[in-house]
């Protein structure tokens, strides 16, 4: 009797399983927690995705940049779009991701687009509403967390480029519940009091959830209604918020905002020196031409006898030269004196100089605000900011 039994190879079985698995389900969204994450130097990402009861292998070919941008790590809750595949070599099925996002980001993105479209329809983002940023403001208002990295980066640039500028900080929370309202109140404070020539709204980078207060209507409307120009420096270069669209100018980082608002003092000095040199060169060239014309006229037949007329014109020309040079020098001295006066005033008003004299600023860590009253309960622990650092003190 002939043996008709079919003998399968392992490869045959795995191939059949792959065809069944990959052909039975359409691409879908899968939600779970990342584990065993490996971002290979090839650009591919390997991981497990799990819930409280089960897990499966996952792969995201070419997904290294996307995972790095989102800050995906072990324990991150994600939503991945893709399909089931079978890796025949090991006989394992896995989820092959085509797109990745942090869990809940889809809802936030929809809210972002809804708020953006609503405010755009009202004209809050129109280019015609944008105002120019002052070239060298005397006072800079900053709305941010007083303990965040953003304000440290901002002040570092300010002190290096233009240490005498007056910076006023409105302390507020920059993420979490109530942060949007605090940011809006900070912008409104500078708008009402005219306490600054330009306002910078800033915080460091973070996830979309972290940056969400800057996507709220209350912040966008406060920025659009501010009586002085507003710069938005929220997140990193790849981050965009609705505050960016409402502001007069958007810059990618807090450091870029600092460089923009103060300009460069050395550049101003160089421009003044170039102007002085160009003015002298122009005057000397004009006087040389006039003298040459006068010399030619004095040598002509008409002026040979009345030579005293030529000498008189020469004397008048010399006097004119002296007056022009004196006027130019007085103008330059007056402007240099004004610049030095402003520098002295800014030095006096610089908060950092007050700290160097032995003063300190007390902050309530719980409230995140400076302490402005002596009515603080005994035993309360406060943070004291000094010129060279910080210390914790306790109220007696």
């Amino acid at each position: 009797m002939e043996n008709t039994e079919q003998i399968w190879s392992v490869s045959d079985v795995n191939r059949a399983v792959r065809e069944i698995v990959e052909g039975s389900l359409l691409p879908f969204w899968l939600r779970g927690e990342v584990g065993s994450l490996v971002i290979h130097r090839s650009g591919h990402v390997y991981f497990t995705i799990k819930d409280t009861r089960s897990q499966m292998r996952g792969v995201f070919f070419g997904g290294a940049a996307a995972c790095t941008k989102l800050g995906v790590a072990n324990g991150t809750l994600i939503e991945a779009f893709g399909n089931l595949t079978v890796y025949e070599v090991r006989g394992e099925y896995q989820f092959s991701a085509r797109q990745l996002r942090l869990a809940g980001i889809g809802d936030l993105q929809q809210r972002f687009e809804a708020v953006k479209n609503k405010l755009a329809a009202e004209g809050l983002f129109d280019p015609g509403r944008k105002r120019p940023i002052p070239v060298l403001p005397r006072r800079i208002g900053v709305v941010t967390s007083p303990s965040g990295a953003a304000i440290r980066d901002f002040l570092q640039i300010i002190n290096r480029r233009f240490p005498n500028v007056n910076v006023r900080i409105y302390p507020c929370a920059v993420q979490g519940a109530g942060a949007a309202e605090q940011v809006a109140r900070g912008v409104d404070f500078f708008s009402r009091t005219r306490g600054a020539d330009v306002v910078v709204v800033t915080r460091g980078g973070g996830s979309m959830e972290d940056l969400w207060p800057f996507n709220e209507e209350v912040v966008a409307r406060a920025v659009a209604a501010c009586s002085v120009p507003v710069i938005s420096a929220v997140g990193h270069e790849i981050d965009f918020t609705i505050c960016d669209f409402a502001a007069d100018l958007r810059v990618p980082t807090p450091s870029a905002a600092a460089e923009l608002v103060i300009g460069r003092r050395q550049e101003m000095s160089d421009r003044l020196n170039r102007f002085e040199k160009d003015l002298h060169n122009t005057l000397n060239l004009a006087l040389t031409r006039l003298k040459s014309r006068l010399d030619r006229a004095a040598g002509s037949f008409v002026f040979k006898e009345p030579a005293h007329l030529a000498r008189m014109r020469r004397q008048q020309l010399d006097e004119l030269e002296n007056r022009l040079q004196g006027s130019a020098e007085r103008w330059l001295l007056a402007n240099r004196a004004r610049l030095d006066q402003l520098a002295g005033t800014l030095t006096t008003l610089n908060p950092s100089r007050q700290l160097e004299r032995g003063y300190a600023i007390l902050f309530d860590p719980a409230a995140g605000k400076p302490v402005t009253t002596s009515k603080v309960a005994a035993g309360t622990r406060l943070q004291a900011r000094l010129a060279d650092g910080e210390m914790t003190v306790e109220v007696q």
Side-chain angles (χ1 to χ4, degrees):
M1 180 176 166
E2 184 178 354
N3 186 358
T4 59
E5 293 180 344
Q6 181 179 358
I7 306 299
W8 289 58
S9 69
V10 176
S11 297
D12 292 336
V13 174
N14 285 346
R15 187 179 304 110
V17 170
R18 180 178 63 80
E19 293 175 354
I20 294 171
V21 171
E22 296 182 4
S24 61
L25 290 174
L26 294 174
F28 59 94
W29 282 99
L30 179 65
R31 180 188 179 101
E33 180 182 314
V34 173
S36 303
L37 179 67
V38 176
I39 300 179
H40 200 272
R41 63 183 179 182
S42 65
H44 305 322
V45 180
Y46 302 93
F47 56 96
T48 60
I49 186 167
K50 56 187 177 180
D51 56 24
T52 56
R53 296 180 56 189
S54 305
Q55 70 177 30
M56 70 171 67
R57 291 184 181 274
V59 60
F60 189 3
F61 294 113
C67 289
T68 301
K69 177 181 177 180
L70 292 173
V72 176
N74 289 325
T76 301
L77 192 62
I78 63 168
E79 294 171 352
F81 182 78
N83 60 291
L84 288 180
T85 61
V86 174
Y87 184 45
E88 293 183 33
V89 175
R90 288 202 297 263
E92 298 175 345
Y93 82 94
Q94 61 189 10
F95 183 81
S96 181
R98 304 180 191 175
Q99 184 178 346
L100 207 67
R101 67 190 184 195
L102 301 180
I105 202 70
D107 296 335
L108 287 180
Q109 189 63 40
Q110 292 179 4
R111 288 173 57 192
F112 177 91
E113 294 298 333
V115 174
K116 178 183 174 184
N117 292 337
K118 175 184 177 181
L119 298 181
E122 295 180 18
L124 261 67
F125 308 151
D126 290 350
R129 299 183 67 259
K130 309 298 183 183
R131 294 161 295 185
I133 305 302
V135 176
L136 186 60
R138 296 184 180 183
R139 297 182 302 275
I140 302 170
V142 184
V143 180
T144 191
S145 168
S147 59
I151 191 60
R152 290 198 297 270
D153 293 344
F154 186 90
L155 293 177
Q156 183 180 23
I157 298 295
I158 292 288
N159 290 330
R160 185 170 74 242
R161 295 290 180 85
F162 205 160
N164 299 322
V165 73
N166 182 10
V167 178
R168 304 184 68 188
I169 302 172
Y170 187 97
C172 65
V174 291
Q175 71 182 68
E181 288 73 17
Q182 292 186 39
V183 172
R185 284 197 295 269
V187 175
D188 183 62
F189 168 80
F190 288 115
S191 178
R192 287 184 293 101
T193 62
R194 293 278 184 168
D197 301 312
V198 63
V199 176
V200 178
V201 179
T202 187
R203 67 148 287 161
S207 66
M208 192 171 192
E209 293 94 332
D210 293 338
L211 302 180
W212 189 255
F214 299 89
N215 293 322
E216 296 284 1
E217 277 191 49
V218 65
V219 172
R221 295 190 185 280
V223 169
C226 189
S227 62
V228 296
V230 178
I231 298 174
S232 177
V234 179
H236 297 309
E237 187 169 0
I238 60 175
D239 300 316
F240 278 90
T241 66
I242 291 176
C243 178
D244 296 335
F245 298 109
D248 296 286
L249 182 67
R250 182 255 180 187
V251 293
T253 63
S255 298
E259 293 180 357
L260 176 70
V261 295
I262 64 169
R264 291 177 173 83
R265 188 180 185 182
Q266 186 59 47
E267 288 183 3
M268 294 181 65
S269 179
D270 291 344
R271 288 175 60 186
L272 192 60
N273 290 334
R274 286 196 300 271
F275 178 78
E276 179 182 9
K277 182 178 179 180
D278 291 343
L279 181 60
H280 280 298
N281 290 340
T282 301
L283 290 174
N284 289 334
L285 179 60
L287 291 172
T288 299
R289 289 175 177 174
L290 289 173
K291 285 182 177 181
S292 177
R293 290 177 58 188
L294 186 58
D295 288 340
R296 288 196 301 272
S300 67
F301 175 79
V302 178
F303 288 101
K304 282 185 177 179
E305 289 193 9
H308 66 280
L309 180 60
R311 289 194 295 270
M312 181 181 68
R313 294 300 185 190
R314 267 201 202 95
Q315 182 177 356
Q316 291 175 343
L317 188 59
D318 291 339
E319 291 176 354
L320 176 61
E321 178 184 358
N322 292 335
R323 287 200 300 271
L324 288 174
Q325 289 181 340
S327 178
E329 290 172 357
R330 286 193 297 275
W331 184 89
L332 291 170
L333 288 174
N335 279 273
R336 286 189 184 278
R338 175 59 177 164
L339 183 61
D340 292 338
Q341 181 184 6
L342 289 175
T345 302
L346 293 174
T347 300
T348 303
L349 297 176
N350 189 352
S352 300
R353 294 299 178 89
Q354 303 300 325
L355 298 182
E356 293 173 358
R357 296 174 183 170
Y359 292 95
I361 301 176
L362 296 179
F363 285 88
D364 184 347
K369 297 180 178 179
V371 177
T372 60
T373 177
S374 60
K375 295 179 180 180
V376 181
T380 301
R381 298 177 69 84
L382 302 176
Q383 198 74 17
R385 180 172 298 170
L386 305 173
D388 60 348
E390 296 183 353
M391 65 172 59
T392 301
V393 298
E394 182 174 321
V395 179
Q396 299 296 325

